[in-house]
Amino acid sequence: MITISAFEWVPDFAQGQVRDLRVRWALEEAGIPYHTRLVSLGAEQSSAAYRALQPFGQVPYFEEDGFALFESGAIVLHISERSEALLPKDPAARARATQWLFAALNSIEPWIQQVASIDYFYKDEDWAKLRRPGALEFAQLRLTQLADKLGDKPYLDGDRFTAGDLMMATVLRILPPIITDPRLAAYVERCTSRPAFKRAYNAQMGDFKQAA
Ligand SMILES: N[C@@H](CCC(=O)N[C@@H](CS)C(=O)NCC(=O)O)C(=O)O
């Protein structure tokens, strides 16, 4: 049985956003059952035992029959390799889905996360007030470029949802007010109205409720 780690509690703004959601969503799309190991913020995440599984003390990690993996991108890819619902069989389509998964993590997430970190953690700092307009401008440039590439297609590679869309949608959800292009807003809505996303989201929120 697969085990993934998740936080037992996070502040309200982070609930429904923690990166184990990506892994839960991939498992739901693939129809693979899993358990969660709930970890507390602070001492437990920083313990040597936890850091043996996730060297940065973060969530999520993935474990199955003694095989352990960290980094949500690597975990989602590992799960996706087992399911055509996430990675097409055709090698070229598969490579393009992987390309979009990396684009989400490497070309989009850092810029959205920069603005999100300012808004969530530093908004009253003088340096943050100076930095925010430039960070926002760059994030918006990337988002416009993404929207142009998406165009009128339902998903990034055309008509079918892949692991690339799963990852991109989780990244675009990080800071909803930043998504002003109607094509991207509709895309996020399309991806997150999938039943597998709803099950994953409810499972994360359910774990927080249970621990409260
Ligand atoms: N690159 C990592 C990032 C994981 C990450 O940022 N996890 C956050 C929760 S969303 C975390 O554990 N934060 C607590 C910390 O960094 O101490 C991944 O994608 O798995």
Side-chain angles (χ1 to χ4, degrees), residues 70 79 85 93 114:
F70 60 91
I79 295 164
Q114 215 175 94

Side-chain angles (χ1 to χ4, degrees), residues 7 10 17-20 22 41 45 50 54 56-60 70-73 75 105 109:
F7 283 130
V10 294
Q17 289 283 354
V18 190
R19 285 169 172 78
D20 57 278
R22 302 162 172 187
L41 282 164
Q45 77 176 118
Y50 186 75
Q54 214 297 359
F56 310 115
Q58 297 185 311
V59 304
F70 60 91
E71 283 299 329
S72 60
I75 299 170
L105 294 174
E109 185 170 45

Side-chain angles (χ1 to χ4, degrees), residues 67-126:
F67 169 73
L69 206 56
F70 60 91
E71 283 299 329
S72 60
I75 299 170
V76 167
L77 208 47
H78 178 66
I79 295 164
S80 301
E81 272 159 11
R82 294 190 199 175
S83 170
E84 246 194 281
L86 289 163
L87 278 184
K89 266 211 172 100
D90 170 63
R94 210 175 167 87
R96 288 194 303 271
T98 310
Q99 152 199 277
W100 280 117
L101 183 146
F102 278 96
L105 294 174
N106 230 1
S107 298
I108 304 290
E109 185 170 45
W111 311 109
I112 293 188
Q113 189 60 52
Q114 215 175 94
V115 183
S117 296
I118 289 173
D119 288 1
Y120 289 133
F121 305 120
Y122 306 111
K123 68 177 187 318
D124 296 327
E125 307 277 341
D126 287 342

Side-chain angles (χ1 to χ4, degrees), residues 130-160:
L130 290 171
R131 176 72 191 112
R132 193 178 189 279
L136 181 62
E137 190 182 351
F138 197 81
Q140 278 172 339
L141 170 66
R142 278 284 177 274
L143 291 171
T144 301
Q145 291 166 330
L146 178 66
D148 288 345
K149 185 70 179 160
L150 175 67
D152 294 325
K153 300 190 298 297
Y155 299 109
L156 290 165
D157 196 41
D159 287 334
R160 62 155 295 179

Side-chain angles (χ1 to χ4, degrees), residues 160-207:
R160 62 155 295 179
F161 177 86
T162 72
D165 297 296
L166 182 154
M167 194 57 83
M168 192 64 82
T170 63
V171 165
L172 297 178
R173 285 181 73 252
I174 290 173
L175 192 62
I178 214 177
I179 308 299
T180 52
D181 187 301
R183 292 167 297 179
L184 282 188
Y187 168 73
V188 175
E189 177 59 28
R190 189 174 305 123
C191 293
T192 57
S193 35
R194 295 173 69 81
F197 174 83
K198 291 187 192 308
R199 288 196 296 274
Y201 179 88
N202 290 339
Q204 183 179 96
M205 297 304 280
D207 277 347

